[in-house]
Amino acid sequence: MAEKLTAHYEELKARINFHNHRYHVLDNPIISDVEYDRLLNELKQIETDHPDWITPDSPTQRAGSKPADRFEKIRHPGAILSLANAFGGDDARAWFERIKKIDDRVEQAKFVVEPKIDGLSVVLHYRDGLFVQGATRGDGVIGEDITSNLRTIRAIPLKIPVNSNWVIGNSDSQTPQSPLTTYHLPNYLVVRGEAFIPNKEFDELNRKLEEAGEKTYLNPRNTAAGSLRQLDPQLTASRPLTLLVYQIVYSEGGKIPTSQWEILEYLKALGFPVTDVAKRFDDLDSAIAYTETWNEGRDTLPYEADGMVIKIDDLTLAADLGFTGKDPRGAIAFKFPAREVTTTLTDIGVAVGRTGVLTPFAMLAPVEIGGVVVERATLHNFDFIAEKDIRVGDRVLIKRAGEVIPYVIGPVVDARSGQEKTYQPPTICPACGQAVEHFEGEVAWYCVNAACPAQLVRNIEHFVSRGAMDITGLGIKIVEQLIETGLVKDVADLFTLNKDQLLTLEGFAEKKAENLLGSLNQARAQSLNRLLAALGIHGVGEVMAGDLSRNFGNLSALAKASAEELQQIEGVGPNIAESIVDWFAQPVNQNVVKKLKAAGVNPEMQKDEKKKEGALSGLTFVVTGTLPTLSREGVKEFIESNGGKVTDSVSKKTSYLVLGEAPGSKAEKAKSLGVKILDEAELKKLAEG
Ligand code: IVH
């Protein structure tokens, strides 16, 4: 009876480890969580009855054990080497030329390209197939024993090879091609991999922390390293860590492959998680070409990668090439352009936006990120500075990716000297000196002085911009001069400028003045919706301006509208309605409207007849990003001509988000609210009914 139970216990362990592998390594579970938990509970019950049976490969042993006092040191059985860097194809070819001179066989070499994951290097020891010890890289010779922490990572097999019998009945035969039949598991096997937190899980972790009002983490790499190099395994267990392995550092007994490509296949067959984007190439140029495709593609990887590794496939040849310092000659790290760097925060400046909102920005010791020298970076808002405890003089981590404006991620606290100064947000506007204000429920601080020169510059910039009045020849330098000289005190003044006045400005000659007056004159004929969008009323973007224009037909009618009337329009909630009413109630703005009318800027628009009916009737859409064929106006017309409605911001009421290239934050918001997402083609299909 007991014999039968031990056999059942063994089978149960193997079965759970198998399903664990399907879930955490192959990302392809074949049973539900409930079934998995049932198996685990059954196992726990047997172990409660027979505590002496428990072995280290039991899945129950993953739960974090008690915190340790300190980490023991472990000497690695082989050197845990580093990699020399290459920045671009020329560097990689120079490496190839160098090693060709050392060994002729290099000429014929094949190459394996793998992602270079930005995580923490870990070393895993298996004796007779059992995971017995795990260490950090340390100095490459001696690392720290973090076995208890590593045990909690479900992607790490506790026993290899992971049993794969449960799917193929009870035959224990491997397919003839399997690396497991060609090679034999060493009694002692030491593998190396990179532990990390996938990006999605990292964002989710930070989101939860933020919700709980707790401090968020800087980046996945530091969080992964921190989670593994602290003494409480329970904490490690709570972090979404995983890993990918890529090297056999040492083995005794058995027979292992001698090429990198087969090592990856062998490790995978044993049940280790292995990258699925590695490729083997017959020559270096093809390897470089593949590597370079990842410069752009890196964001599609589910983890942070700081480059690709190009490795000579023949490991005997690679070993014979030896090393320079800690870098093996047989491989090179092909680095992506950096996106995160640290530099000194020399000061914090404050910019005044069009709506008077004060935005802090970082003034930095110049630093190169991905080929661009960065001296300024966004600091989001004053709460962000306080939450992250960013101090002037701090070493800060900066990120610059794609077209996004560089931003500060946070301070490197460990680099502090004690000289750093805590930052106090300004109490007065840096442009006009008036006291700043804070509104209930908002993070931002505002300068509410309608005559603030900094706001006026931004206001005019917005007024003349392409999506608004589209007035060419009015760059920021000219706008600043017009304000400084007192020629322009509000947007309406632009239309009373004359040639003599313009000629007094720096850099203006006849032609330039005439051109500007010409484009101002043309702007008089701009449509009502453009004028409304140009006025910069809080909450009135291009889409809303169109709706208001069609409903009211002219400025005077809109100026008279009450909040209740405004709310009759779909998409206008109480906040926007109030903001519109407030805007027209302010004497300064009434004066602007009066002056605009006097200057001949008073467009009329045909009011809408009955709304169109079509396949999109009753549906509300938000558009973000650039669509393949339709322009912004084009997609709006398309949706409306099919009876649908377009609004500016995503809410629970939004039926669909139409998603294009390089979308903004609306995409994130739609996802978090569970709003359905369409591309242009799907939108067209929907409109066909
Ligand atoms: S190979 C001899 N392959 O990058 C083997 N390293 O600076 C040398 N890394 O410390 C390492 N992904 O932690 C190799 N696919 C990969 C890697 C990788 C990440 C890390 C590793 C190492 C650093 C090299």
Side-chain angles (χ1 to χ4, degrees):
M1 183 64 197
E3 221 167 80
K4 228 171 149 188
L5 188 59
T6 33
H8 178 62
Y9 174 63
E10 289 302 323
E11 181 189 309
L12 207 48
K13 279 194 298 187
R15 196 183 275 271
I16 295 171
N17 280 334
F18 161 78
H19 288 297
N20 180 71
H21 177 254
R22 296 225 44 129
Y23 188 96
H24 292 282
V25 178
L26 303 181
D27 208 5
N28 183 12
I30 51 171
I31 59 171
S32 68
D33 292 359
V34 178
E35 288 167 280
Y36 182 87
D37 289 344
R38 208 176 287 144
L39 293 175
L40 200 61
N41 284 336
E42 196 184 341
L43 186 79
K44 280 183 193 157
Q45 187 54 53
I46 301 178
E47 290 185 347
T48 314
D49 297 343
H50 305 274
D52 52 318
W53 288 3
I54 303 174
T55 52
D57 64 320
S58 168
T60 57
Q61 302 307 296
R62 287 192 190 272
S65 50
K66 279 210 204 78
D69 298 334
R70 63 189 189 96
F71 293 129
E72 300 296 331
K73 300 272 183 235
I74 299 184
R75 179 173 288 273
H76 300 304
I80 302 303
L81 299 169
S82 188
L83 287 172
N85 290 332
F87 299 92
D90 289 347
D91 261 12
R93 277 181 274 270
W95 160 70
F96 184 51
E97 292 306 319
R98 280 198 304 278
I99 58 174
K100 245 193 320 203
K101 287 194 194 113
I102 299 174
D103 197 314
D104 306 337
R105 287 176 292 168
V106 171
E107 184 82 59
Q108 307 300 324
K110 290 190 168 106
F111 298 89
V112 173
V113 177
E114 298 166 20
K116 183 171 180 307
I117 301 148
D118 204 5
L120 183 79
S121 212
V122 294
V123 182
L124 311 172
H125 299 237
Y126 289 82
R127 287 202 186 266
D128 299 321
L130 290 184
F131 174 62
V132 289
Q133 195 165 53
T136 60
R137 175 171 183 270
D139 62 4
V141 179
I142 291 171
E144 285 179 325
D145 182 346
I146 54 164
T147 314
S148 304
N149 288 346
L150 288 171
R151 218 175 248 298
T152 67
I153 301 182
R154 307 208 168 228
I156 295 182
L158 297 177
K159 186 180 186 183
I160 50 170
V162 172
N163 193 320
S164 51
N165 290 347
W166 309 113
V167 247
I168 47 173
N170 260 338
S171 120
D172 54 7
S173 70
Q174 292 288 335
T175 49
Q177 310 91 297
S178 164
L180 295 189
T181 54
T182 320
Y183 301 102
H184 305 294
L185 184 67
N187 318 107
Y188 183 31
L189 179 77
V190 183
V191 305
R192 175 180 181 183
E194 197 81 357
F196 60 94
I197 295 179
N199 293 336
K200 211 170 102 204
E201 276 74 8
F202 177 75
D203 292 343
E204 182 65 18
L205 180 67
N206 262 352
R207 201 184 56 75
K208 279 191 196 143
L209 287 170
E210 208 172 314
E211 261 175 29
E214 284 177 50
K215 231 178 139 183
T216 53
Y217 294 106
L218 274 191
N219 59 26
R221 204 212 89 84
N222 290 7
T223 314
S227 310
L228 281 166
R229 295 200 336 234
Q230 57 76 46
L231 295 161
D232 181 3
Q234 302 248 0
L235 191 132
T236 318
S238 75
R239 299 278 163 77
L241 287 153
T242 184
L243 97 162
L244 289 171
V245 302
Y246 51 79
Q247 193 193 1
I248 293 182
V249 175
Y250 183 79
S251 71
E252 269 175 26
K255 182 174 168 233
I256 61 167
T258 57
S259 86
Q260 177 62 15
W261 186 250
E262 283 168 75
I263 288 281
L264 294 177
E265 286 187 329
Y266 181 56
L267 289 170
K268 189 171 168 184
L270 286 175
F272 287 102
V274 172
T275 171
D276 54 6
V277 302
K279 275 197 175 167
R280 177 158 62 172
F281 297 94
D282 287 339
D283 60 86
L284 183 69
D285 281 333
S286 322
I288 292 175
Y290 178 63
T291 300
E292 282 173 341
T293 62
W294 288 101
N295 272 340
E296 293 297 316
R298 65 194 287 195
D299 288 327
T300 64
L301 291 170
Y303 40 78
E304 291 287 330
D306 56 346
M308 301 296 278
V309 189
I310 304 182
K311 299 179 176 176
I312 288 200
D313 186 37
D314 178 349
L315 294 176
T316 316
L317 169 57
D320 288 348
L321 285 168
F323 6 63
T324 46
K326 277 186 183 169
D327 307 330
R329 289 205 182 87
I332 193 139
F334 191 109
K335 299 286 286 240
F336 295 141
R339 300 205 289 196
E340 278 183 32
V341 297
T342 64
T343 186
T344 307
L345 176 70
T346 53
D347 206 351
I348 293 177
V350 176
V352 187
R354 178 164 62 81
T355 54
V357 64
L358 304 189
T359 314
F361 61 89
M363 296 155 116
L364 306 165
V367 61
E368 199 228 88
I369 316 182
V372 172
V373 176
V374 174
E375 289 179 79
R376 296 256 191 284
T378 308
L379 275 166
H380 309 294
N381 54 57
F382 297 109
D383 279 8
F384 177 78
I385 300 176
E387 270 159 27
K388 296 273 172 184
D389 185 20
I390 296 169
R391 306 180 189 176
V392 174
D394 258 339
R395 190 112 198 126
V396 285
L397 189 62
I398 311 292
K399 182 156 185 170
R400 177 184 162 267
E403 295 309 305
V404 185
I405 297 169
Y407 60 94
V408 175
I409 300 179
V412 186
V413 177
D414 289 346
R416 281 196 177 140
S417 67
Q419 300 296 304
E420 298 76 14
K421 292 201 178 61
T422 310
Y423 176 74
Q424 292 302 333
T427 49
I428 55 166
C429 169
C432 69
Q434 179 154 319
V436 298
E437 283 189 29
H438 193 61
F439 299 111
E440 188 67 38
E442 278 196 50
V443 214
W445 285 84
Y446 288 88
C447 166
V448 291
N449 174 11
C452 172
Q455 286 180 56
L456 189 52
V457 175
R458 303 272 165 264
N459 252 317
I460 294 179
E461 248 189 318
H462 172 72
F463 188 81
V464 304
S465 65
R466 219 159 3 128
M469 295 296 272
D470 195 15
I471 302 171
T472 49
L474 259 179
I476 180 118
K477 288 268 162 336
I478 300 172
V479 173
E480 278 169 359
Q481 278 195 71
L482 288 170
I483 293 170
E484 270 166 34
T485 52
L487 287 173
V488 168
K489 295 196 179 66
D490 57 42
V491 293
D493 287 340
L494 291 171
F495 296 98
T496 57
L497 288 170
N498 62 41
K499 197 156 144 195
D500 291 343
Q501 289 172 328
L502 289 179
L503 289 175
T504 63
L505 302 179
E506 210 182 291
F508 265 88
E510 293 273 328
K511 187 84 191 130
K512 193 166 166 184
E514 277 165 18
N515 285 347
L516 177 53
L517 291 173
S519 67
L520 279 164
N521 202 28
Q522 271 179 10
R524 283 195 167 85
Q526 284 292 22
S527 57
L528 180 61
N529 51 331
R530 274 178 175 270
L531 176 63
L532 282 179
L535 290 175
I537 304 168
H538 194 72
V540 181
E542 286 175 45
V543 175
M544 178 63 62
D547 289 342
L548 293 173
S549 301
R550 276 185 296 279
N551 276 279
F552 292 94
N554 61 51
L555 272 182
S556 307
L558 178 61
K560 281 188 225 124
S562 67
E564 290 71 40
E565 280 173 80
L566 286 163
Q567 282 187 68
Q568 300 301 310
I569 302 171
E570 222 185 306
V572 179
N575 289 343
I576 295 181
E578 196 186 308
S579 140
I580 297 170
V581 171
D582 274 1
W583 195 91
F584 283 102
Q586 291 208 23
V588 209
N589 296 331
Q590 286 173 356
N591 191 37
V592 169
V593 172
K594 205 166 111 197
K595 279 162 76 179
L596 281 171
K597 285 182 186 165
V601 188
N602 190 18
E604 295 270 339
M605 191 180 254
Q606 276 288 315
K607 287 213 236 168
D608 251 1
E609 312 93 61
K610 271 243 143 299
K611 272 195 123 176
K612 290 218 173 66
E613 287 294 320
L616 305 184
S617 290
L619 299 175
T620 309
F621 295 79
V622 172
V623 184
T624 183
T626 313
L627 301 179
T629 68
L630 290 171
S631 70
R632 256 311 143 85
E633 273 304 306
V635 66
K636 187 168 173 334
E637 256 164 42
F638 177 81
I639 292 170
E640 287 173 349
S641 66
N642 284 287
K645 184 165 165 44
V646 181
T647 64
D648 262 337
S649 58
V650 180
S651 74
K652 272 191 207 139
K653 287 190 197 150
T654 310
S655 321
Y656 291 97
L657 180 83
V658 185
L659 184 71
E661 275 289 311
S665 59
K666 288 175 190 171
E668 288 300 314
K669 178 140 189 227
K671 268 181 223 155
S672 73
L673 289 176
V675 170
K676 280 173 261 173
I677 297 182
L678 292 176
D679 61 16
E680 186 184 303
E682 287 163 333
L683 171 69
K684 287 180 173 162
K685 238 186 234 143
L686 190 70
E688 280 163 18

mmCIF file of all heavy atoms in Angstrom, residues 299-320:
data_model
loop_
_atom_site.group_PDB
_atom_site.id
_atom_site.type_symbol
_atom_site.label_atom_id
_atom_site.label_comp_id
_atom_site.label_asym_id
_atom_site.label_seq_id
_atom_site.Cartn_x
_atom_site.Cartn_y
_atom_site.Cartn_z
ATOM 1 N N ASP A 299 11.477 46.583 -29.345
ATOM 2 C CA ASP A 299 10.288 46.810 -28.523
ATOM 3 C C ASP A 299 9.256 45.702 -28.644
ATOM 4 O O ASP A 299 8.319 45.641 -27.858
ATOM 5 C CB ASP A 299 9.647 48.149 -28.870
ATOM 6 C CG ASP A 299 10.498 49.293 -28.359
ATOM 7 O OD1 ASP A 299 11.138 49.108 -27.302
ATOM 8 O OD2 ASP A 299 10.552 50.339 -29.021
ATOM 9 N N THR A 300 9.411 44.843 -29.658
ATOM 10 C CA THR A 300 8.464 43.734 -29.764
ATOM 11 C C THR A 300 8.884 42.573 -28.867
ATOM 12 O O THR A 300 8.124 41.636 -28.673
ATOM 13 C CB THR A 300 8.345 43.223 -31.215
ATOM 14 O OG1 THR A 300 9.624 42.696 -31.602
ATOM 15 C CG2 THR A 300 7.972 44.344 -32.173
ATOM 16 N N LEU A 301 10.112 42.627 -28.337
ATOM 17 C CA LEU A 301 10.524 41.580 -27.401
ATOM 18 C C LEU A 301 9.790 41.812 -26.080
ATOM 19 O O LEU A 301 9.585 42.956 -25.683
ATOM 20 C CB LEU A 301 12.037 41.639 -27.163
ATOM 21 C CG LEU A 301 12.916 41.251 -28.351
ATOM 22 C CD1 LEU A 301 14.380 41.571 -28.073
ATOM 23 C CD2 LEU A 301 12.768 39.769 -28.673
ATOM 24 N N PRO A 302 9.412 40.733 -25.394
ATOM 25 C CA PRO A 302 8.643 40.939 -24.168
ATOM 26 C C PRO A 302 9.505 41.371 -22.980
ATOM 27 O O PRO A 302 9.017 41.501 -21.877
ATOM 28 C CB PRO A 302 8.009 39.568 -23.919
ATOM 29 C CG PRO A 302 8.849 38.598 -24.660
ATOM 30 C CD PRO A 302 9.489 39.320 -25.798
ATOM 31 N N TYR A 303 10.819 41.544 -23.208
ATOM 32 C CA TYR A 303 11.706 41.960 -22.115
ATOM 33 C C TYR A 303 12.659 43.029 -22.645
ATOM 34 O O TYR A 303 12.732 43.260 -23.852
ATOM 35 C CB TYR A 303 12.522 40.770 -21.604
ATOM 36 C CG TYR A 303 13.014 39.863 -22.711
ATOM 37 C CD1 TYR A 303 14.116 40.220 -23.492
ATOM 38 C CD2 TYR A 303 12.346 38.680 -23.008
ATOM 39 C CE1 TYR A 303 14.541 39.412 -24.534
ATOM 40 C CE2 TYR A 303 12.759 37.867 -24.052
ATOM 41 C CZ TYR A 303 13.856 38.234 -24.801
ATOM 42 O OH TYR A 303 14.271 37.455 -25.840
ATOM 43 N N GLU A 304 13.362 43.674 -21.730
ATOM 44 C CA GLU A 304 14.350 44.674 -22.131
ATOM 45 C C GLU A 304 15.592 43.953 -22.647
ATOM 46 O O GLU A 304 16.120 43.068 -21.988
ATOM 47 C CB GLU A 304 14.769 45.527 -20.929
ATOM 48 C CG GLU A 304 13.700 46.451 -20.415
ATOM 49 C CD GLU A 304 13.471 47.637 -21.338
ATOM 50 O OE1 GLU A 304 14.429 48.071 -22.018
ATOM 51 O OE2 GLU A 304 12.330 48.116 -21.386
ATOM 52 N N ALA A 305 16.023 44.327 -23.855
ATOM 53 C CA ALA A 305 17.275 43.786 -24.378
ATOM 54 C C ALA A 305 18.149 44.976 -24.728
ATOM 55 O O ALA A 305 17.658 45.961 -25.271
ATOM 56 C CB ALA A 305 17.006 42.935 -25.612
ATOM 57 N N ASP A 306 19.426 44.935 -24.350
ATOM 58 C CA ASP A 306 20.281 46.079 -24.660
ATOM 59 C C ASP A 306 21.142 45.810 -25.888
ATOM 60 O O ASP A 306 22.006 46.593 -26.234
ATOM 61 C CB ASP A 306 21.120 46.520 -23.455
ATOM 62 C CG ASP A 306 21.964 45.396 -22.885
ATOM 63 O OD1 ASP A 306 21.715 44.230 -23.240
ATOM 64 O OD2 ASP A 306 22.875 45.676 -22.092
ATOM 65 N N GLY A 307 20.906 44.675 -26.541
ATOM 66 C CA GLY A 307 21.634 44.373 -27.761
ATOM 67 C C GLY A 307 21.374 42.939 -28.170
ATOM 68 O O GLY A 307 20.469 42.291 -27.646
ATOM 69 N N MET A 308 22.153 42.469 -29.129
ATOM 70 C CA MET A 308 22.106 41.058 -29.503
ATOM 71 C C MET A 308 23.528 40.525 -29.287
ATOM 72 O O MET A 308 24.490 41.284 -29.346
ATOM 73 C CB MET A 308 21.723 40.884 -30.973
ATOM 74 C CG MET A 308 20.380 41.472 -31.356
ATOM 75 S SD MET A 308 18.947 40.707 -30.559
ATOM 76 C CE MET A 308 18.681 39.265 -31.568
ATOM 77 N N VAL A 309 23.635 39.219 -29.024
ATOM 78 C CA VAL A 309 24.972 38.644 -28.890
ATOM 79 C C VAL A 309 25.252 37.826 -30.142
ATOM 80 O O VAL A 309 24.408 37.032 -30.557
ATOM 81 C CB VAL A 309 25.079 37.739 -27.643
ATOM 82 C CG1 VAL A 309 26.526 37.327 -27.414
ATOM 83 C CG2 VAL A 309 24.534 38.450 -26.419
ATOM 84 N N ILE A 310 26.404 38.080 -30.776
ATOM 85 C CA ILE A 310 26.810 37.264 -31.918
ATOM 86 C C ILE A 310 27.878 36.301 -31.408
ATOM 87 O O ILE A 310 28.897 36.729 -30.877
ATOM 88 C CB ILE A 310 27.367 38.131 -33.070
ATOM 89 C CG1 ILE A 310 26.330 39.186 -33.483
ATOM 90 C CG2 ILE A 310 27.765 37.253 -34.254
ATOM 91 C CD1 ILE A 310 26.767 40.076 -34.648
ATOM 92 N N LYS A 311 27.600 34.999 -31.550
ATOM 93 C CA LYS A 311 28.506 33.985 -30.997
ATOM 94 C C LYS A 311 29.003 33.070 -32.102
ATOM 95 O O LYS A 311 28.212 32.668 -32.961
ATOM 96 C CB LYS A 311 27.776 33.126 -29.953
ATOM 97 C CG LYS A 311 27.258 33.915 -28.776
ATOM 98 C CD LYS A 311 26.507 33.035 -27.777
ATOM 99 C CE LYS A 311 26.096 33.892 -26.583
ATOM 100 N NZ LYS A 311 25.291 33.155 -25.602
ATOM 101 N N ILE A 312 30.265 32.716 -32.059
ATOM 102 C CA ILE A 312 30.765 31.683 -32.959
ATOM 103 C C ILE A 312 30.096 30.378 -32.557
ATOM 104 O O ILE A 312 30.064 30.021 -31.373
ATOM 105 C CB ILE A 312 32.299 31.581 -32.866
ATOM 106 C CG1 ILE A 312 32.885 32.819 -33.534
ATOM 107 C CG2 ILE A 312 32.817 30.277 -33.467
ATOM 108 C CD1 ILE A 312 34.303 32.708 -33.961
ATOM 109 N N ASP A 313 29.515 29.691 -33.538
ATOM 110 C CA ASP A 313 28.716 28.507 -33.218
ATOM 111 C C ASP A 313 29.579 27.357 -32.688
ATOM 112 O O ASP A 313 29.193 26.683 -31.737
ATOM 113 C CB ASP A 313 27.959 28.079 -34.486
ATOM 114 C CG ASP A 313 26.993 26.948 -34.214
ATOM 115 O OD1 ASP A 313 26.390 26.950 -33.118
ATOM 116 O OD2 ASP A 313 26.848 26.073 -35.086
ATOM 117 N N ASP A 314 30.757 27.181 -33.285
ATOM 118 C CA ASP A 314 31.637 26.074 -32.903
ATOM 119 C C ASP A 314 32.308 26.397 -31.564
ATOM 120 O O ASP A 314 33.223 27.225 -31.492
ATOM 121 C CB ASP A 314 32.689 25.897 -34.021
ATOM 122 C CG ASP A 314 33.683 24.792 -33.687
ATOM 123 O OD1 ASP A 314 33.694 24.318 -32.524
ATOM 124 O OD2 ASP A 314 34.445 24.414 -34.592
ATOM 125 N N LEU A 315 31.847 25.725 -30.495
ATOM 126 C CA LEU A 315 32.317 26.091 -29.155
ATOM 127 C C LEU A 315 33.761 25.671 -28.898
ATOM 128 O O LEU A 315 34.442 26.264 -28.063
ATOM 129 C CB LEU A 315 31.376 25.506 -28.100
ATOM 130 C CG LEU A 315 29.962 26.106 -28.134
ATOM 131 C CD1 LEU A 315 29.054 25.408 -27.124
ATOM 132 C CD2 LEU A 315 29.987 27.611 -27.864
ATOM 133 N N THR A 316 34.225 24.652 -29.632
ATOM 134 C CA THR A 316 35.628 24.259 -29.487
ATOM 135 C C THR A 316 36.506 25.381 -30.035
ATOM 136 O O THR A 316 37.466 25.823 -29.400
ATOM 137 C CB THR A 316 35.907 22.956 -30.276
ATOM 138 O OG1 THR A 316 34.822 22.066 -30.027
ATOM 139 C CG2 THR A 316 37.211 22.331 -29.887
ATOM 140 N N LEU A 317 36.137 25.861 -31.224
ATOM 141 C CA LEU A 317 36.874 26.972 -31.819
ATOM 142 C C LEU A 317 36.796 28.203 -30.914
ATOM 143 O O LEU A 317 37.813 28.857 -30.643
ATOM 144 C CB LEU A 317 36.289 27.298 -33.212
ATOM 145 C CG LEU A 317 36.759 28.591 -33.879
ATOM 146 C CD1 LEU A 317 38.273 28.620 -34.036
ATOM 147 C CD2 LEU A 317 36.087 28.758 -35.255
ATOM 148 N N ALA A 318 35.585 28.493 -30.408
ATOM 149 C CA ALA A 318 35.414 29.668 -29.545
ATOM 150 C C ALA A 318 36.333 29.571 -28.333
ATOM 151 O O ALA A 318 36.998 30.541 -27.964
ATOM 152 C CB ALA A 318 33.959 29.792 -29.117
ATOM 153 N N ALA A 319 36.395 28.377 -27.730
ATOM 154 C CA ALA A 319 37.245 28.209 -26.543
ATOM 155 C C ALA A 319 38.715 28.373 -26.909
ATOM 156 O O ALA A 319 39.487 28.989 -26.173
ATOM 157 C CB ALA A 319 36.989 26.843 -25.917
ATOM 158 N N ASP A 320 39.093 27.829 -28.079
ATOM 159 C CA ASP A 320 40.496 27.933 -28.499
ATOM 160 C C ASP A 320 40.924 29.381 -28.723
ATOM 161 O O ASP A 320 42.101 29.718 -28.593
ATOM 162 C CB ASP A 320 40.734 27.131 -29.791
ATOM 163 C CG ASP A 320 40.685 25.630 -29.524
ATOM 164 O OD1 ASP A 320 40.692 25.253 -28.317
ATOM 165 O OD2 ASP A 320 40.619 24.834 -30.489
#
